[in-house]
Amino acid sequence: MFVVELGAGLQSGSVSLLADAIDFFGDSANYLLSLVVMSMGLLWRARGAWIKGLTMVLFGLLVSARAVWGLALGQPPEPLVMSSIGALALLANVGVAVMLYRFRLGDADMRSVWLCSRNDAIGNLAVILAAAGVFGTGDAWPDLVVAGIMAGLALTSGVSILRHARQDMRIAKAEAGA
């Protein structure tokens, strides 16, 4: 989906699709990291979550910068491409989120996987709504607002994961010292 959304985002001029594509790439790397640390001790899982949290914060900052650039350009994206690719991505992300729902309250590593999937599904719905807004107004602002919201979700989720990971690291270090 990363490649599909990246191509569609570039072709359509949609910042929200580009944001979702970058998020898909980041999530793929995060899921791989989760698989690597899954059987390791709490300290290593927390370190993996820490990397994921930093990645999410970086994604949020990158999308924010791209949205500001899009605001300066002011050209509206193609709403039909946005809505069709957003719907396809939604199907993929809802399927993953349903599979991961039971892990939403786990340790920092598993919580980060759940939050990534949840945020993706929310982001896909927002891209579809932005496409409707772009279609109705003929303006870029609905796409840019959604890109800003997606950046905010990434930033707040990333900070939450960083805090949880730091707490898990303290617990693991205390248990190792006991």
Side-chain angles (χ1 to χ4, degrees):
M1 281 306 301
F2 161 70
V3 173
V4 170
E5 279 195 315
L6 181 64
L10 291 171
Q11 187 270 330
S12 70
S14 170
V15 179
S16 60
L17 273 180
L18 289 174
D20 206 36
I22 292 168
D23 187 49
F24 257 112
F25 179 76
D27 289 348
S28 297
N30 285 339
Y31 293 155
L32 178 62
L33 183 58
S34 287
L35 290 173
V36 169
V37 300
M38 184 183 302
S39 64
M40 295 180 178
L42 180 60
L43 183 59
W44 282 103
R45 291 192 318 270
R47 287 174 178 159
W50 181 264
I51 292 169
K52 289 186 218 177
L54 287 176
T55 302
M56 291 176 84
V57 169
L58 180 62
F59 160 72
L61 294 173
L62 182 64
V63 170
S64 296
R66 179 57 179 94
V68 169
W69 186 37
L71 183 63
L73 294 176
Q75 186 159 352
E78 171 52 49
L80 182 59
V81 173
M82 288 176 66
S83 60
S84 59
I85 299 300
L88 181 62
L90 178 62
L91 289 173
N93 282 316
V94 166
V96 172
V98 167
M99 287 188 294
L100 296 172
Y101 182 76
R102 66 185 174 134
F103 298 108
R104 73 192 182 286
L105 301 176
D107 66 20
D109 181 58
M110 292 311 297
R111 181 165 170 73
S112 69
V113 172
W114 156 248
L115 285 172
C116 286
S117 297
R118 182 206 65 183
N119 290 355
D120 288 346
I122 292 169
N124 298 140
L125 288 172
V127 168
I128 294 167
L129 290 174
V134 168
F135 180 77
T137 65
D139 199 6
W141 70 263
D143 182 52
L144 298 175
V145 167
V146 167
I149 291 168
M150 292 172 79
L153 271 173
L155 288 168
T156 58
S157 295
V159 169
S160 171
I161 290 165
L162 288 171
R163 287 182 182 147
H164 197 161
R166 185 175 36 208
Q167 180 183 7
D168 284 356
M169 282 188 246
R170 284 188 200 126
I171 291 168
K173 288 176 182 177
E175 289 173 356

